[in-house]
Amino acid sequence: MDERQLNTLKTLLEKPKKIAVIPHRNPDGDAMGSTLALQFFLEKLGHSVTVISPNSFPHFLDWLPKSENVVLFDQENKKANQLLEQADIIFTLDFNSFSRTGKEMQSVLEKINTTFIMIDHHQQPDDYAEFMFNKTNTSSTCELVYEFIHLLNKPNLIDKAIATCLYAGVMTDTGSFRFPSTSSNTHRMIAHLIDEGADNSLIHQNIFDTKSPDQLKLLGTALNNLHILKEYQTAYISLSQQELDEHHYKKGDTEGIVNYGLSLQGIIFAVIFIENQEEEIIKISFRSKGDFDVNTFARENFNGGGHKNAAGGRSFKSLHHTISDFEELLKKYSKQLKIKA
Ligand code: 5GP
Ligand code: MN
């Protein structure tokens, strides 16, 4: 966004508007934290704002302020459609392609003729937005919302609710401030958020220390399924639908499991394959350390994308076939995977 666009945007936001704010489908901490924080900020500017999520969010985020007011597109379709059609402005946060909202919401968004504003940190954005605030080297969309608030010269509007939501999103997207995308700017921002009332220890507990016994046992099953391909510095984990059912799986229960692969010495590429019989897909998460680019890997092979060191994708084959395809594919990438991180 250049100076001229910023001024146009400032003028646009001078008068009260009807605004919808949208995270991606299956929203994570960054998607929920950034949309709610932006909602509170825009409300303070006098706008009428609704967060519309394509579908539900995991239970470990249900303590976020006002998360109970989020409209779920798949469950409250009529209301969501009405709000979208009436919106003067639609902000899309933490994604950069309508396809990331799911097929049905995508087709609605494609037909709507309004002003779209993108705030996002993923690579290769589509060009649906009139205003784009996207930086791929930033830790999280929450950090970009924080910058956006500063661009509008309104940091004094950051209150406890905004600080809490932004803190939660940055924390979850940076693996608690340890991924390389965590910068000194991130830490300066975090210090400010704590000053404004974000309770860092409580936020951490709300997100990480609210597990059920089933969830911990599911982690045990996942770790038992760990498969190491030492020659490719790769580790993968799989969870079948049956294993999920046995542990009464709820959305969010598998969050973070993929990272255990990367905690092994000598592993630079970690993957988890999760069977989803209802959607007839295998949901895949990719994580890497160093130069191995999982965004490209996910785009080229598994209908996905994301960032260099964290990406997602899906396969339409069986779990067994997906894994054998994956093992076969590694040969093609052997040069990159044998380079020490
Ligand atoms: P996860 O593995 O946690 O689902 O996703 C890891 C990262 O990749 C997140 O930043 C997520 O938003 C992104 N991501 C996941 N799936 C896709 C996808 O299908 N396309 C794109 N472009 N990004 C994805
Ligand atoms: Mn994000």
Side-chain angles (χ1 to χ4, degrees):
M1 193 159 27
D2 59 26
E3 197 66 29
R4 191 184 53 82
Q5 275 190 310
L6 180 62
N7 286 330
T8 316
L9 183 57
K10 279 181 180 166
T11 314
L12 189 68
L13 292 173
E14 263 165 19
K15 292 212 182 85
K17 294 275 184 313
K18 289 194 198 89
I19 299 179
V21 185
I22 311 176
H24 55 77
R25 189 175 153 79
N26 296 322
D28 55 9
D30 189 30
M32 291 305 296
S34 60
T35 50
L36 288 167
L38 184 66
Q39 172 182 23
F40 303 146
F41 172 69
L42 293 170
E43 281 175 350
K44 284 190 149 185
L45 294 181
H47 303 291
S48 163
V49 192
T50 318
V51 174
I52 305 173
S53 175
N55 63 351
S56 64
F57 47 89
H59 53 86
F60 62 79
L61 296 174
D62 62 13
W63 60 275
L64 282 170
K66 301 276 166 63
S67 60
E68 67 277 12
N69 294 346
V70 171
V71 174
L72 303 179
F73 180 87
D74 64 345
Q75 290 177 33
E76 301 160 83
N77 200 257
K78 211 172 147 195
K79 185 174 176 188
N81 275 312
Q82 240 169 23
L83 286 162
L84 289 171
E85 275 158 24
Q86 290 166 0
D88 305 309
I89 301 172
I90 299 181
F91 278 87
T92 67
L93 266 58
D94 203 35
F95 67 94
N96 58 24
S97 156
F98 285 158
S99 63
R100 297 272 288 122
T101 62
K103 267 200 196 110
E104 275 140 50
M105 193 155 171
Q106 174 179 6
S107 72
V108 172
L109 292 174
E110 278 166 354
K111 283 185 208 112
I112 287 177
N113 185 15
T114 191
T115 304
F116 281 94
I117 304 177
M118 177 199 296
I119 305 182
D120 181 52
H121 68 136
H122 292 90
Q123 306 194 4
Q124 291 142 292
D126 284 355
D127 68 351
Y128 59 83
E130 203 166 312
F131 300 94
M132 286 169 72
F133 188 51
N134 60 325
K135 295 187 188 175
T136 53
N137 58 357
T138 303
S139 72
S140 53
T141 301
C142 279
E143 190 168 334
L144 289 176
V145 168
Y146 181 80
E147 281 188 32
F148 181 74
I149 292 173
H150 281 76
L151 273 180
L152 298 182
N153 301 319
K154 302 282 184 196
N156 52 320
L157 292 188
I158 296 176
D159 59 10
K160 186 179 167 92
I162 295 176
T164 300
C165 292
L166 292 180
Y167 188 103
V170 181
M171 185 187 76
T172 50
D173 246 31
T174 57
S176 299
F177 316 110
R178 69 198 154 101
F179 297 154
S181 58
T182 313
S183 66
S184 57
N185 277 337
T186 315
H187 282 289
R188 271 188 285 273
M189 160 189 167
I190 287 300
H192 180 200
L193 297 180
I194 293 174
D195 286 344
E196 294 306 329
D199 186 337
N200 52 322
S201 182
L202 182 66
I203 294 171
H204 194 281
Q205 283 176 43
N206 282 341
I207 290 187
F208 295 112
D209 302 342
T210 47
K211 293 187 177 63
S212 65
D214 266 334
Q215 201 178 339
L216 270 199
K217 287 178 187 167
L218 181 66
L219 170 63
T221 301
L223 294 179
N224 259 323
N225 293 345
L226 176 73
H227 200 97
I228 299 169
L229 300 160
K230 212 170 159 202
E231 67 275 34
Y232 296 113
Q233 303 191 81
T234 296
Y236 70 79
I237 287 171
S238 65
L239 282 170
S240 68
Q241 184 70 58
Q242 190 186 339
E243 287 167 326
L244 296 169
D245 292 346
E246 278 165 9
H247 296 91
H248 311 103
Y249 167 81
K250 289 193 306 303
K251 181 175 269 186
D253 284 356
T254 54
E255 196 73 26
I257 296 182
V258 61
N259 294 313
Y260 282 91
L262 277 192
S263 70
L264 288 162
Q265 187 167 24
I267 295 299
I268 61 167
F269 185 27
V271 184
I272 188 167
F273 300 92
I274 303 171
E275 186 174 23
N276 183 331
Q277 270 176 359
E278 196 186 326
E279 294 192 20
E280 298 181 328
I281 60 166
I282 307 299
K283 166 75 181 97
I284 316 171
S285 289
F286 304 97
R287 300 291 185 269
S288 70
K289 270 186 192 159
D291 287 336
F292 187 64
D293 180 355
V294 292
N295 169 48
T296 307
F297 187 88
R299 275 177 198 271
E300 286 179 350
N301 306 296
F302 290 104
N303 314 291
H307 314 278
K308 187 173 136 200
N309 296 126
R314 57 204 52 71
S315 149
F316 304 100
K317 296 186 179 173
S318 69
L319 185 58
H320 176 78
H321 265 104
T322 304
I323 292 173
S324 61
D325 282 0
F326 171 75
E327 289 204 13
E328 192 59 34
L329 261 174
L330 289 180
K331 293 179 189 158
K332 221 174 92 185
Y333 292 84
S334 63
K335 249 201 185 138
Q336 296 163 53
L337 285 168
K338 285 173 185 170
I339 297 167
K340 275 255 171 273

